[in-house]
Amino acid sequence: VLGCFLQTVQGARADADALAWTPASPFRDELRDLGVAALIRDDAEATALASTDFGNVTVAPAAAVLYPSCPADIAALLRASCARSSPFPVSARGRGHSVRGQAAATDGVVVDMPSLGRLGGGSTASRLSVSVEGQYIDAGGEQLWVDVLHAALAHGLTPRSWTDYLHLTVGGTLSNAGISGQAFRHGPQISNVQELDVITGLGEIVTCSKEKHADLFDAVLGGLGQFGVITRARIPLIQAPARARWVRLFYTGAAPLTGDQERLIGVDLGTAVSGLMDYVEGSVVLADQGQVGSWRSSFFSEADAARIAALAEEAGGVLYCLEGALYYGGAALAGESDVDKRLEVLLRELRYARGFAFVQDVSYAGFLDRVRDGELKLRAAGLWDVPHPWLNLFLPRSRVLDFAAGVFHGILRRDGGTGPMGPVLVYPMNRDRWDGNTSAVFPEEEEVFYTVGILRSAVSEGDLGRLEEQNEEILRFCEEAGIPCVQYLPYYAGQAGWEKKHFGPAKWARFVERKRKYDPKAILSRGQRIFTSPL
Ligand code: FAD
């Protein structure tokens, strides 16, 4: 610890004195003894930042923030908390891209994970190490997926499974699942990890995998930060494509959209289109979505956008868009003539509204980082740092059309068509690509389940309350209609919701058992509101 501390003081932090921490509460004295006190700030600027998140809906005041320079600093903090009769909460915070305070630590210490890269005595790159021979990358838990991508691409390699937005941390998405349009084939990001370094709630540093400490490995993946802090993940790599044909097709109904999505992900193997796309997503397009609704990328000319809006009006205000990508080029992949042939089959066989197929040719990296453009545009318009009452659900394939009828054509269209102010995603995944031993919760009763992401922004006064009420209404609708949905990136106000609505008896029992083993004092990630006192 002392070594890390000295390295930090001598290295990246210019003004350690300015950050030095004046002990004011009992647990601070104990940290001073451990040698991490100079890595801690408790001034208003630091704690304010750590008390909010992307959601902008909750404020959970942290007492202090640890800026670790190496994993041992985090272990020291956790051991200090553990040693107390009344442990203080500790939460790892990646980018704080949660929406309900999940990375917060009320009256406790937030661990600013990006500091591991910044203060670790070197550049960010030193915590991203590619093994070409082993075909994997070792990435610090604080690393952004966009940096993982570029480090791997430098060797012509790439991870297989992504999130739509790459400016999220490895540890943050692995604590949830990490999903995008590749998950149907490769599974979520948590199905694409070989090994982890984890610091448990007891302050122990453990390397785990399916072969070694498998229970901890499984617990941490999708574990909502409850069992340990991920400081390194080994992620398998494959040969990288060079380019992507990026396709958007419009549908006037949910049934043809979902039918095509399912053919593409291979539900009905042997159809002409199964397996032809490398990425399959979809969204609901409402006639009045505006800039906030379409922020995730710009794709259409003004004339095309007007045609699409007219089609949406004709279709009663609701359109569906299938978004796909076909990768090509690069060392291991077929070239342009092959991708042209695949695309030709798709455009002939899929059941979209004729005349409403749009195709772009982009670099592979540009395709994966596509959401960034939208972010920059919203930032420029002052529409990024607004409240985000997002609702993400998983539901079984057999109920997706009932959901569409009740929610997309019902609840979201009410109130004079004020529309959802943000994208609404809907796409299927194959259940057999998910590992039931991990902590992630997903529908297990059918071979295919859908994810629905209602990703709205509250831009004007009154929006937040209205959108929150609608979210409640959507959950009530599912309950009353008997649609067995579970939340992704879940939020429940207290333990009863987690136990009964989220996990169910068997998974809850396993989750509690794992908590008892790896964080018995319930120190970690209390912002999730799952455990609030020692077990
Ligand atoms: P944080 O919000 O900081 O943390 C999330 C949770 O993980 C907290 O409980 C925290 O304590 C814990 N945690 C953080 N780091 C670690 C660590 N190293 N070890 C252990 N626990 C840790 N998700 C998808 O799956 N697919 C998407 O396409 C997608 N797109 C998104 C787009 C945007 C614009 C945003 C804001 C979010 C998106 N997400 C998506 C959600 C994202 O996966 C979550 O926000 C996730 O929590 C990652 O954010 P983060 O790295 O900032 O983690």
Side-chain angles (χ1 to χ4, degrees):
V1 174
L2 188 63
C4 302
F5 164 51
L6 289 175
Q7 191 181 33
T8 303
V9 172
Q10 289 156 4
R13 266 226 329 251
D15 191 0
D17 285 347
L19 304 182
W21 191 27
T22 316
S25 76
F27 70 82
R28 297 173 187 180
D29 283 330
E30 293 153 36
L31 294 179
R32 186 178 283 288
D33 294 343
L34 284 166
V36 290
L39 301 173
I40 289 184
R41 286 174 60 178
D42 66 349
D43 55 277
E45 190 192 351
T47 54
L49 261 178
S51 305
T52 57
D53 60 21
F54 176 80
N56 241 314
V57 176
T58 56
V59 177
V65 182
L66 172 76
Y67 298 87
S69 63
C70 62
D73 294 335
I74 303 171
L77 180 78
L78 285 166
R79 282 198 301 271
S81 177
C82 248
R84 307 186 78 239
S85 56
S86 167
F88 52 86
V90 174
S91 290
R93 176 186 163 97
R95 287 292 294 265
H97 273 36
S98 296
V99 295
R100 293 277 172 181
Q102 286 94 335
T106 303
D107 296 330
V109 183
V110 168
V111 179
D112 178 69
M113 294 300 289
S115 298
L116 283 176
R118 272 200 314 271
L119 305 182
S123 64
T124 285
S126 66
R127 291 189 45 84
L128 284 169
S129 163
V130 173
S131 166
V132 174
E133 208 184 13
Q135 301 270 293
Y136 63 75
I137 182 167
D138 278 324
E142 77 290 353
Q143 294 295 317
L144 298 184
W145 282 101
V146 69
D147 296 323
V148 173
L149 171 66
H150 289 293
L153 283 181
H155 300 272
L157 299 169
T158 177
R160 293 182 289 220
S161 185
W162 296 97
T163 45
D164 292 349
Y165 176 64
L166 302 188
H167 299 253
L168 303 166
T169 66
V170 167
T173 71
L174 294 183
S175 298
N176 287 292
I179 57 169
S180 183
Q182 303 86 4
F184 78 89
R185 178 172 292 159
H186 300 296
Q189 290 177 322
I190 52 169
S191 297
N192 291 275
V193 184
Q194 291 172 344
E195 189 178 272
L196 297 171
D197 283 345
V198 170
I199 308 170
T200 68
L202 298 162
E204 291 166 350
I205 302 180
V206 184
T207 298
C208 54
S209 66
K210 278 288 184 190
E211 286 75 43
K212 217 166 81 183
H213 304 296
D215 184 61
L216 176 62
F217 183 73
D218 287 336
V220 166
L221 293 172
L224 305 169
Q226 296 304 304
F227 308 107
V229 178
I230 300 167
T231 55
R232 178 186 61 94
R234 177 165 292 178
I235 297 149
L237 302 175
I238 54 171
Q239 294 290 328
R243 301 196 64 78
R245 285 281 155 79
W246 182 9
V247 182
R248 286 190 178 170
L249 309 170
F250 284 90
Y251 292 74
T252 51
L257 170 88
T258 54
D260 275 356
Q261 286 176 320
E262 289 171 18
R263 290 199 294 151
L264 287 165
I265 72 161
V267 170
D268 204 358
L269 275 176
T271 68
V273 297
S274 71
L276 288 188
M277 280 188 180
D278 298 298
Y279 159 100
V280 178
E281 284 203 6
S283 59
V284 186
V285 183
L286 288 112
D288 48 5
Q289 244 166 345
Q291 187 188 3
V292 183
S294 57
W295 64 273
R296 289 165 71 94
S297 74
S298 55
F299 206 85
F300 311 105
S301 67
E302 268 184 37
D304 286 337
R307 279 202 314 126
I308 294 163
L311 186 69
E313 286 298 343
E314 258 176 57
V318 184
L319 269 193
Y320 292 87
C321 176
L322 191 153
E323 183 174 58
L326 294 78
Y327 301 154
Y328 72 100
L333 289 170
E336 197 154 1
S337 64
D338 176 74
V339 83
D340 285 339
K341 277 189 214 136
R342 280 155 70 200
L343 189 57
E344 199 185 304
V345 175
L346 288 167
L347 294 183
R348 191 179 61 233
E349 298 287 331
L350 294 174
R351 290 172 285 208
Y352 58 94
R354 288 297 180 254
F356 287 88
F358 303 89
V359 183
Q360 286 189 5
D361 190 79
V362 291
S363 71
Y364 175 66
F367 170 71
L368 289 180
D369 201 16
R370 63 199 173 279
V371 177
R372 179 68 167 173
D373 277 352
E375 174 191 350
L376 296 177
K377 278 184 204 142
L378 284 191
R379 278 190 188 281
L383 292 170
W384 184 255
D385 294 319
V386 296
H388 297 101
W390 287 8
L391 179 66
N392 288 277
L393 300 171
F394 290 154
L395 52 126
R397 170 199 182 192
S398 62
R399 304 306 304 273
V400 70
L401 294 181
D402 298 330
F403 185 91
V407 176
F408 304 149
H409 296 264
I411 296 171
L412 297 186
R413 292 297 300 155
R414 268 207 337 257
D415 305 334
T418 40
M421 293 158 288
V424 178
L425 306 182
V426 52
Y427 60 93
M429 284 174 280
N430 291 308
R431 190 206 60 193
D432 67 359
R433 300 293 188 273
W434 290 63
D435 180 349
N437 292 317
T438 65
S439 295
V441 173
F442 54 93
E444 302 205 30
E445 54 275 59
E446 297 178 15
E447 285 303 312
V448 167
F449 65 89
Y450 274 79
T451 182
V452 174
I454 304 175
L455 311 180
R456 300 188 287 182
S457 304
V459 290
S460 315
E461 216 185 311
D463 281 352
L464 181 59
R466 187 172 61 78
L467 297 178
E468 300 246 67
E469 272 169 32
Q470 264 190 2
N471 287 345
E472 287 301 320
E473 196 182 342
I474 291 167
L475 293 172
R476 258 196 326 273
F477 163 77
C478 289
E479 215 168 299
E480 283 161 14
I483 300 175
C485 58
V486 289
Q487 289 186 45
Y488 176 54
L489 309 170
Y491 167 79
Y492 298 92
Q495 201 176 75
W498 286 104
E499 181 178 351
K500 298 205 167 64
K501 294 188 178 159
H502 192 68
F503 287 103
K507 287 209 161 181
W508 175 247
R510 187 181 66 183
F511 203 78
V512 172
E513 191 45 43
R514 286 172 164 174
K515 187 74 175 175
R516 206 168 271 132
K517 255 161 101 179
Y518 304 118
D519 183 27
K521 298 206 169 173
I523 291 168
L524 290 167
S525 287
R526 284 212 197 152
Q528 297 276 8
R529 297 162 180 252
I530 307 175
F531 300 99
T532 48
S533 52
L535 280 86

